Amino acid sequence: MKPRLFLPILALMTLFTMSCSSEDIEEQKLDASTLITPATKTIEIGILELINAHRIGMDLQPLHNLSVIKSVAFTHTDYMISLNQVNHDNFYQRKASLVNTVAAVRVAENIAYSYTSAETVVNAWLNSPGHRATIEGDFTDFDISAEKNSEGKWYFTNIFIKR
């Protein structure tokens, strides 16, 4: 076979045999019996307080934190750390879990990486129109997971729901 034809065919064969789905890598199916709720960290409390202070300043209702949301957020934060990348992979799985466990009718999330304080991550979200819209959205409950990777960099998953 000519080299011009061989290389593209080899590339296609490699692509089809080595591709993987993030669904295969994602944490086990989310249900109440398998969820872990880690201890709340100071940075997480700060984020929740800053978001609620912002909402109150906008004449919006403060949100209630809910441990099951923290547990679901933790599964994703841990997943992002395992891949060493920030993403919204498997969001619909997290959403379905919250719909089933706490009767959520609306779910959204903000994620971030490498910020070093509650103030810096919340300011970054508020300076982004999409993230700000989530923070100011029509929700009733929220919680956050903030975890450090092996190099000490923070990963954040902040989930909002309406019940």
Side-chain angles (χ1 to χ4, degrees), residues 10-130:
L10 180 62
L12 280 174
M13 287 175 38
T14 303
L15 176 67
F16 289 126
T17 59
M18 295 186 150
S19 67
C20 71
S21 167
S22 61
E23 294 291 330
D24 295 335
I25 299 170
E26 176 65 18
E27 61 274 0
Q28 295 178 351
K29 184 174 175 157
L30 300 175
D31 65 50
S33 66
T34 62
L35 293 175
I36 298 168
T37 306
T40 302
K41 297 168 190 64
T42 303
I43 194 169
E44 294 168 331
I45 294 167
I47 292 167
L48 298 175
E49 288 176 349
L50 287 167
I51 289 172
N52 269 339
H54 174 78
R55 287 180 62 88
I56 291 166
M58 301 292 297
D59 290 327
L60 299 169
Q61 290 294 313
L63 303 174
H64 305 281
N65 56 318
L66 196 60
S67 64
V68 69
I69 297 173
K70 180 178 181 55
S71 299
V72 171
F74 173 73
T75 65
H76 188 61
T77 304
D78 192 48
Y79 169 74
M80 291 190 300
I81 289 171
S82 74
L83 295 179
N84 198 31
Q85 66 175 226
V86 179
N87 61 60
H88 289 284
D89 290 357
N90 306 299
F91 170 74
Y92 293 104
Q93 184 179 1
R94 290 186 295 287
K95 178 181 177 181
S97 174
L98 292 165
V99 166
N100 291 331
T101 58
V102 294
V105 295
R106 187 165 182 228
V107 180
E109 72 182 13
N110 286 340
I111 58 170
Y113 161 77
S114 202
Y115 292 95
T116 57
S117 70
E119 294 81 8
T120 57
V121 72
V122 172
N123 285 336
W125 284 331
L126 290 174
N127 287 317
S128 163

